[in-house]
Amino acid sequence: MTSILYISGRQLRRSICPKPSLTSFQHIICTNTARRRPIIIYHSSLFSSSTTSNDDEKNSSRESAASDSTDTNDATNNDNNDSTTTSSLPSPPKSNISNLAELSKARLSALVVSTTAFGFMSVGPTALAYTSLPTFAAASIGTALCASSAATFNQVIEIERDSKMKRTGNRPLVNGSVSKQAAIGLGCLTGSTGGILLGLGTDPITTMLGVGNIGLYAGLYTYLKPRSEINTWVGAVVGAIPPVMGWTAAGGSILDPEAVLLGSTLFLWQFPHFFALNWMYRTDYKRGGFSMVAVNDPNGDRTASLIKRYGVYLASLPFLSTALEVTSPMFAVEGILLNGYALHVASKFDKERSNSNARKVFLTSLWYLPCVMMLFLLHSRRWHEEVTNDEKDETILDSFQKLMSKIQAKGKELCMHEALVSKEVEVSIGEGENKTSLDGSKCPISMTKNAQISIGTGKEEVTLPLEEDPTSD
C-alpha cells in the first residue's frame, strides 16, 4: 500500500494505491477500481524532502498544495502580480508529436501559413490563371517550415529564460523531453528544407524573404527581447512578411500597392494583439527577464495608448485601400463596423487596465484578422476581373473561383444595400400605367452603375449611361 497524491480538478488529494507503477516521468499509474480506468497520480515522496518521516511528508504535501493553489490563482487571474511561486507539480508525459508541435509553435506557424495563402489569393484570377498548384503548395509548405525553424531556434536560445516563466516552463527543451542538440538539428532541417522548397517552387524574392525571416526572428528579435522594447516592432516586421511572400509567389511585385497594404495590415494588427498579451502576462515576462512595454509600464498608460494608436492606424487602411482603387468602397464601409468594435474594446481597456479588458482586446484581435482578410478578398477589384476560358488553369484557378463565388453570393444575401430593396418591400418608379417595379435582387450601387438616361422622344431619343454628363462636350 502506498500513500499518494493525485490531482482532482485544481486540488491535491491523498489516496491509497495498492499496486502503483512508476513511469519514466516519475508519475504513478494506478488503476482506479471504482472507475475501472487508470489515473495519473503523483507519489508523495515527490513533494517531501524526506520520505522517512510521516510528519515531514504531511508538511511537505501541505506546502506543495499551497504552492499549487497559488500558481493556479496567478494563472487564472494575472492581476495578482505579487505571486512569484512556481508550481512544483511534474507534468504528464508528452508524445513526440506534441513535443514537435510545441517546438515548431504549430499554432503560430498555422497562422503564418494562412496569411501567406491570403497574400497568394489576393493576386486575383488573372494572375492565378498562370499559377500552378505546386507553386501554391511550395509557398505554403515552405513558409510553414521556415516559421517552424525560426520558432525552434528561438526556444533553443531562450531555454534559461523560458524555465523561469510559467507559460513556457513546460516546453520540451525546458523539461528535458527534447535535447538541445536534437532541437538544433530540427531547426536546421526545417529551415533548409523550407528554403529549398521556396527556391525550387517559387521565385528568388519569395525565397529571400522566407530565409531572411528565420534570421530576423531567431536572430535580431530574439536578441532584443531581453534588451529593448523595440523587439515588439521587429517582431511585427517578421509577421508582416508572410502575406507579401504569398503575393510575390503568385507573380505579384513587392512594390505593388496590394503588397504594401497586405504587409501593413499584418504589421499594424500585431500591436494591439501583442500589447494585450504582454499586459496579461507582464509578471511572467518580468520573471523571465524580457524587456516588454508592459513590464516597464506599471500603470498601463503606455500600453493602453499604443493599443489605441495602432488600432486607429489599422482602421485607416480600408479607406486607403479604397482610395488606391485596390478594393471597392464597401470594404471601407464594412471596415467602419469592424474597426469600430475593435476601438471600442481598446477604449474599455484604456478606462480600466484590467486583465479582463486586456483579454477582450486579445480575443478581438483573433477574429478580427480572418474577418479583415476575407473582406479584403471579397471587395478586391482584382477578383472582379474576367478571365477567358483558354487562360484558365484548371488545377488552381477554378477551385479558388468556386470558393470566392460561394462567399460572394452569401455576402450579397447579407448586403446592407440590398436590404433597402429587399423582396419584402416593393420599390417602384412612376405611377399608374407607367409604374415600374425595381428588381429586389440587385444592389442599388450596381443598379446605379447600370442606370441609363434618355434624351428626346421617338426616333430622336438618345440613351446615355447615367455616369456621363449630357451637357459635356
Side-chain angles (χ1 to χ4, degrees):
M1 302 292 284
T2 304
S3 176
I4 55 96
L5 293 171
Y6 70 97
I7 293 178
S8 175
R10 291 182 177 177
Q11 297 180 348
L12 290 173
R13 298 176 184 264
R14 185 176 295 278
S15 183
I16 300 297
C17 183
K19 294 181 180 179
S21 106
L22 193 63
T23 70
S24 59
F25 282 86
Q26 301 297 313
H27 300 100
I28 298 174
I29 307 301
C30 177
T31 301
N32 186 321
T33 55
R35 298 181 182 177
R36 298 293 180 184
R37 63 184 183 185
I39 57 175
I40 296 178
I41 49 185
Y42 300 92
H43 193 274
S44 57
S45 63
L46 294 175
F47 302 94
S48 62
S49 58
S50 173
T51 58
T52 60
S53 171
N54 290 333
D55 291 337
D56 290 343
E57 181 180 323
K58 292 179 181 178
N59 292 334
S60 179
S61 298
R62 292 192 190 102
E63 291 173 3
S64 297
S67 174
D68 184 68
S69 176
T70 301
D71 290 337
T72 301
N73 291 335
D74 185 57
T76 55
N77 182 8
N78 289 293
D79 286 329
N80 182 12
N81 294 321
D82 295 332
S83 174
T84 58
T85 306
T86 56
S87 175
S88 60
L89 287 177
S91 298
K94 295 182 179 180
S95 66
N96 291 332
I97 296 178
S98 297
N99 289 328
L100 179 62
E102 196 159 356
L103 272 177
S104 303
K105 294 185 179 178
R107 287 181 295 180
L108 179 60
S109 296
L111 174 64
V112 170
V113 172
S114 70
T115 61
T116 303
F118 164 55
F120 195 95
M121 292 179 66
S122 297
V123 298
T126 301
L128 290 178
Y130 301 97
T131 307
S132 65
L133 188 59
T135 302
F136 177 72
S140 300
I141 299 173
T143 303
L145 289 171
C146 288
S148 170
S149 174
T152 303
F153 285 130
N154 170 264
Q155 292 181 64
V156 169
I157 297 170
E158 294 182 344
I159 296 176
E160 182 180 352
R161 295 185 184 278
D162 283 347
S163 66
K164 300 175 182 178
M165 298 173 62
K166 294 177 185 176
R167 61 189 295 265
T168 58
N170 195 39
R171 284 179 172 174
L173 285 170
V174 176
N175 62 25
S177 301
V178 177
S179 68
K180 186 175 180 179
Q181 292 74 17
I184 293 174
L186 176 65
C188 292
L189 177 63
T190 52
S192 58
T193 306
I196 291 172
L197 265 178
L198 291 173
L200 296 177
T202 60
D203 61 277
I205 297 294
T206 305
T207 306
M208 220 165 32
L209 290 173
V211 175
N213 232 15
I214 299 176
L216 191 60
Y217 185 85
L220 184 60
Y221 170 69
T222 303
Y223 174 81
L224 288 173
K225 282 177 72 176
R227 294 173 174 83
S228 173
E229 295 176 358
I230 200 70
N231 72 81
T232 304
W233 280 261
V234 175
V237 174
V238 174
I241 289 176
V244 180
M245 291 175 60
W247 178 266
T248 55
S253 169
I254 197 172
L255 300 177
D256 289 337
E258 291 90 344
V260 176
L261 285 168
L262 295 174
S264 298
T265 299
L266 267 294
F267 177 79
L268 297 174
W269 169 83
Q270 291 175 85
F271 292 104
H273 176 82
F274 284 111
F275 285 139
L277 183 69
N278 291 346
W279 179 260
M280 288 190 293
Y281 293 100
R282 58 195 181 279
T283 304
D284 222 13
Y285 280 115
K286 184 177 181 180
R287 186 182 295 121
F290 292 110
S291 181
M292 300 293 178
V293 171
V295 173
N296 304 320
D297 182 29
N299 296 324
D301 294 338
R302 291 175 58 214
T303 302
S305 176
L306 287 167
I307 288 176
K308 288 184 66 176
R309 183 191 309 171
Y310 281 96
V312 171
Y313 295 159
L314 194 59
S316 67
L317 290 183
F319 295 97
L320 179 60
S321 178
T322 300
L324 294 173
E325 297 187 345
V326 172
T327 56
S328 68
M330 276 304 297
F331 182 51
V333 173
E334 293 169 359
I336 294 174
L337 301 176
L338 194 63
N339 290 293
Y341 180 79
L343 290 173
H344 166 70
V345 173
S347 297
K348 288 185 67 177
F349 174 74
D350 187 25
K351 294 176 182 177
E352 183 183 352
R353 282 77 180 270
S354 65
N355 279 358
S356 175
N357 285 334
R359 186 174 296 278
K360 290 177 182 177
V361 174
F362 177 76
L363 293 176
T364 298
S365 69
L366 293 181
W367 59 257
Y368 175 94
L369 184 61
C371 285
V372 77
M373 289 193 298
M374 184 57 65
L375 290 175
F376 183 92
L377 289 176
L378 288 175
H379 300 297
S380 172
R381 294 192 182 277
R382 285 179 175 262
W383 271 99
H384 290 84
E385 297 173 350
E386 294 293 334
V387 183
T388 58
N389 291 331
D390 57 344
E391 290 178 341
K392 289 184 179 180
D393 184 347
E394 298 292 337
T395 60
I396 185 170
L397 181 58
D398 276 0
S399 300
F400 282 162
Q401 280 193 318
K402 288 176 182 177
L403 175 62
M404 291 298 297
S405 296
K406 290 180 181 179
I407 296 173
Q408 287 175 338
K410 187 65 177 177
K412 288 180 180 179
E413 294 178 8
L414 304 175
C415 176
M416 292 185 296
H417 299 106
E418 292 207 28
L420 299 177
V421 286
S422 62
K423 296 180 180 179
E424 288 77 10
V425 180
E426 183 180 357
V427 181
S428 60
I429 299 176
E431 296 179 356
E433 296 179 356
N434 296 324
K435 181 177 179 180
T436 303
S437 296
L438 297 179
D439 184 1
S441 65
K442 292 184 178 180
C443 175
I445 289 183
S446 300
M447 290 167 55
T448 303
K449 292 180 180 178
N450 297 326
Q452 297 176 333
I453 185 171
S454 298
I455 301 176
T457 58
K459 295 181 180 180
E460 297 179 356
E461 180 179 2
V462 178
T463 303
L464 298 173
L466 189 60
E467 295 178 349
E468 294 186 20
D469 184 357
T471 62
S472 63
D473 295 335

